Amino acid sequence: MQRRHLLSTGAALGLGASLPARAQSGWVPTRPIEIVAHNGPGSGPDVFARAVAAALEAEHLAPVRLQIANRVGGGGATAMNYIIDKRGDPHVLGVWTSLWMSLPLVQAEARALTTDMTAITRIAIEPALIVTRAESPHRTMEDFINAAKARPGGLRQSGGSPTARDNLVRQLLMAKTGARWSFISFPGGGERISAVLGGHVDIMIAEPSEAGEQVRAGRMRVLAQVTSARLPGFPDTPTLTEAGFAITDVVQARGLVAPPAIPAEAVAFYQDMFQRMAESATWKKYLDDNQFQGAWLSAADTATFFIEYQATLRGILQEAGVRVVR
Amino acid sequence: MEVLNGLGQGFSVALQPMNLLWCLVGCFLGTIVGILPGLGPAATIALLLPLTYGMDPTGGIIMLCGIYFGAKYGGSTTSILLNIPGEASSVVTCLDGYQMARNGRAGAALGISAIASFIAGTFGIVALTVMAPPIASFALRFSSPEYFALMVLGLSLVVVLGGSSLIKALLALLVGLWLTSIGTDLFTSQSRFTFGSSFLISGIDFMIVAIGVFAIAGVMESIQAGEENTPLPVPSSLRELLPSMEELKACRFAFANGSIVGFLVGVLPGAGSSIASFIAYGIEKSVSKHPEKFGTGVPEGVAAPEGANNADSGGALVPLLTLGIPGGGTTAILLSALVLWGVKPGPLMMIESPQVFWGLVASLYIGNIVLLVLNLPLVPVFAQILRIPLYVLFPIIFGLSLVGAYSVSDNIMNLALLAGFGLVGYVMAKFNFPTAPLILGFVLGDAMERAVRQSLTMSQGDPTILVERPISAVMLGFAALILMAPPLMAALRRRRLAVPH
Amino acid sequence: MASRRFDKDVLAGLALATLGSFIALRATSWDLMGEDGPGPGFFPLGYGVLMLALSLVLTLRALLRPSIHTLETGGSAGHMRAILTWAVFAASALAMQMTGFVLGFALLTMFIVAYVFRRGWRSMVLVGFGCSAGFWLVFTQLLGVELPAGPWGF
C-alpha cells in the first residue's frame, strides 16, 4: 500500500503536463478533472474551487487539466445530487462545505448525503469573530452573556440561515449558559453588518473577511474568536474557550469529495495530491490571505468527520427547534 | 474643499491613457452584457476576475464598474425592442417601452432610455461624490421596519398599476406574492410549495417569471390576434428615430424622479434595483396628468424606471466604497475584486487608498459620458432590428428567452418554468387580468415578508415597531399619499375645470 | 356577448378561489406562529385567504351583474394557433435536454415559419438553419454561454 502510494505520486509529479498512464502501479487521472461548486461564479464555493485549481496548477500537482463546474440550484442540492449521480467516475470532484451536511437534515428533497460519497479530504476551516458595534456597552463575551441573562430574548444577533454556523454557535452558547437572545436572519452579509453598525442588533458572528475592516476602522469590536487558536490578526482577543465558553463542536469546514464507488487507488492519488497542495507555499498563502485555517484530514478521517459532524449537527438543530427530516 | 481636491486627484488618475482604455473596455462589454439575455453583469465580472489578478487595482475597478453601469444602459434595449427584459431592473421598461416600439416610437424609447440613464447616472455619481459618507451613515438607520415601510410603499403602487379592475389587480398581486414564497423559508428552513422537487428548494428566479409573462405571452398574443402579417412600424427618417422635443419635455419630472428614487433605494443594502424602477414608475404614474395612458407607450414610463436603475448603481456604490458593505449580487463581486487586488474596502478605504476611490469616482463620470456617446448613435441602428420580418423575429424572441432562462442555472427545469409562465401570462391577458401587479408582487413579496418577520423578532412580537420609528412612519405616510394621489389629482382636475376663467 | 364576458370572470374567480384554498390549506400544515414571530405558514395563509375572499367577490360580482367590456379581436381560431404554438414551444424546450439547443430550436423555428406564418419550405429551412446556427455561434462559441447539449455535443 505504501509503495503503491509513493509510486503513484511519483508518476503524477514526474509527468507534469504530459499524458500519464505509463505507470501501471497506481492510478492517475486520464481525462480532465471536473471540480464541482454548488454555487455560481464569484460565490464562496466557486472562489474556493478556483483557488484549489490554481494552487494545484501552480505547484504542478495535477497531471491533467482541471475545470470548475458550477452546478447551481436547490440551495446546494443540485451539486450534491450531481456527485451522487456520477457514481464510479473518478474524474469528478466536489468542493464540500458544512452546508453539505446541514442541508439534507432539513430538506427532505435533498436526497444526497456526504456519507454516501467518497470522502477525500478536509482542507480548511473558517474561523469566526463575535463582533459588536464600537458603541456597544459590552466589552467582553461575559458582559454580553450576563446582559442576555438579565433580559431573556431582549438582545439580538444578526445572522443567516438557522442551520448555519452562527446560529449553531448561538444555540450551544445558550444551552451552556442558560442565557437567551434572539436570532434575526438576513439573506446577505451586507445587511447583517449594517444591522450591527446601525445598532439594530447587538452582536453578529462574522467571518474575519466580512468584519475585519470594520474592526480595523474602529467601528466594531471583537468580543471573542470562534477558533481553536488566536488568529494572527487578532492577537489580543480571547478565543471562546479562553473566555470561558468552550464551544468546539461547531466547525465550518471545506474540503473535497468524490462520487461513491470510485477505485481505492484513485482515492489514494487524490488524498496524496491534496496533501501536497495543503503543504505547499501557494496554498498556505491563500489560507493566510483569506484568513482561513488549515485543517487537513485524510480520506478516512474525513469520512469519519462526515458521520460524526452530521450527528452533532442533528443534535444541535433539534435542540434549536429546527425541523429535522432525517 | 477636500471633495474638490479628491476629484481633482481622481481625474488625473482616470484620465491616464491605460485607465481610459479600461473604462472604454468596461463600458463596451457592459453594454453588450446588458443587451444580451443569458449574460448578467455579476456572472461576467466573476468570470473576468481571474484574468485581472495582476492588474492595477484602479484600472481593474474602473473596468468592472464600466461593466456594471454599462449593463444598466444596455438592459433596456431588448426590453424595448423585443419585450424581453435584459436584466432584472429592466423589467419595468417593458411595460411602456415595448408599447412605444409597437407604436413606431422605438427609436424615441431607446433614446429616452439612454438620456434618462445618463441624467440619473450622473446624479447618482454626483451624490456619491459629495454626500457619500453622510448618506451611508443615514442608511445605517434603515433596518427591517424601514424596509417594511419601503415594501408597503412599493405594494401600494398596485393601486396605480392595476388598470380598470382593482380586484383583478389585487388577485394578480396575491399570485405574485405567493409565487415568491415558493422555496425555502429563510428563518426556519421549511420548504414551502416545493412539491418534493429539489429544484424548487431555491425558489423561482425572477427573470424566468418576467421573461415568460412578458416576452413569451406577448408573442402568443400577437399570434392570437393575427398580427403576424402586420410588421412593426419603423420610421425611416432620422428625426423620427430620436425622441421629439415634446417627448423629452414630458419626461422632465421622470428624470428627477428616477434619479432620486433610484439613488435612495440603491443606497439600502438588500433593496434590489427592480424595486427602485418599480417605485419610480409608480410615482410617475400616480402624479401624471394622464395616468390611464401608462402601459400604452408613454415616454415617462420609460424614463422613470430606466433612470432609477442607473441611479441605483451609483447608490449601491455608496455603502460599498464608504463602509465596505456590499448591497448584494454585483456589488458583492466588486467587493471581492477589491479584496483580491489588495485594496481594503471599508471605512478606511477613502483614507488609505484615495487614488482608487477618487480615481473610480472620476472615471464613473467619464464612463457615463462614454456610455451616452456609445448608446445614442446606436439608437437608429438598433431600431432597425424591428425591420426584421416577424417570421424571423418571433423565433429570435423565443430563442433569446430560452437562452436567458437557461442561463439562470443551466437546468432544463428553468425552460419548463419559462414555458409555464408564458402560458400564465397569456391566460391572464385573455381573462383581462393585469400582469404588472403579478410582477410587482413577485419582486416585493419575499422582501416584505422577511422585513416583517425580522422586525417582529427584533421587537419580540410587538407590532408597533413597524410604525413607530420616524423613517418608517414617513415612508408609510408616502404610501398613504400614493394611495390617495389618483383620486386627489382627479378631484383637483375637476375643480380646475369647474372654475371658469 | 354579455354572457360570455362574465363567464370569464366566473371561471377566473373559481380557479383563483381553488388556488387560494389550496395555498391556505398547505399553509396551515406549517407553523403559523413561532416564538419569535410569524412562522413560515403565516404569510401564505394570509395570501390564500385573501385570494379566496377576493376571488369569491369577483365571481359573485360577475354573476350578479351583466358586464360590458371591450370587444376582443380574433375568435377561437386565433386561440388555437396561439396555444398550439405554445405547446410546440414547451415541447421543444423540454426536448432540448435530449436533442440539445440547436436541433430543438431549429425545429421550433421551422414550425413557427411554416405553421404560424405559412411560408414555404425554403423559408422554413433557411430561417430554421440560420437562426439556430446564429444562436450557436454567438452564444456558445463567441460568448461561452452554456446551452443544453444533445449527444452530438451541441
Side-chain angles (χ1 to χ4, degrees), chain B residues 33-41 71 74-76 78-79 83-92 94 180 203-217 273-274 277-278 400-409 414-415 417-419 421-422 438-439 442-443:
Chain B
V33 163
I35 291 176
L36 289 170
L39 288 176
S76 54
T78 48
S79 303
N83 209 19
I84 303 177
E87 53 136 28
S89 56
S90 313
V91 171
V92 187
C94 292
T180 197
I204 301 180
D205 188 86
F206 174 57
M207 287 306 284
I208 296 184
V209 177
I211 298 179
V213 166
F214 283 153
I216 307 292
S273 50
S274 17
S277 37
F278 256 114
L400 288 176
S401 306
L402 288 166
V403 174
Y406 193 71
S407 72
V408 166
S409 65
N414 287 322
L415 301 186
L417 279 178
L418 176 73
F421 281 108
L438 182 140
I439 304 281
F442 196 89
V443 167

Side-chain angles (χ1 to χ4, degrees), chain B residues 206-266:
Chain B
F206 174 57
M207 287 306 284
I208 296 184
V209 177
I211 298 179
V213 166
F214 283 153
I216 307 292
V219 170
M220 286 171 74
E221 286 186 70
S222 291
I223 293 178
Q224 185 258 330
E227 285 170 7
E228 61 269 16
N229 295 315
T230 40
L232 294 164
V234 186
S236 34
S237 78
L238 192 65
R239 169 169 299 201
E240 289 184 2
L241 276 170
L242 291 174
S244 68
M245 282 316 289
E246 296 84 48
E247 284 167 334
L248 284 173
K249 271 180 65 179
C251 293
R252 280 171 311 168
F253 180 74
F255 293 141
N257 175 13
S259 305
I260 298 177
V261 169
F263 182 74
L264 289 177
V265 174

Side-chain angles (χ1 to χ4, degrees), chain B residues 148-157 159-160 283 286 467 472-489:
Chain B
F148 166 72
L150 184 68
M151 299 305 142
V152 168
L153 185 66
L155 286 178
S156 67
L157 298 171
V159 169
V160 169
I283 291 179
S286 57
V467 295
S472 57
V474 165
M475 282 201 286
L476 289 171
F478 268 123
L481 269 178
I482 288 188
L483 284 169
M484 295 191 299
L488 264 179
M489 300 285 284

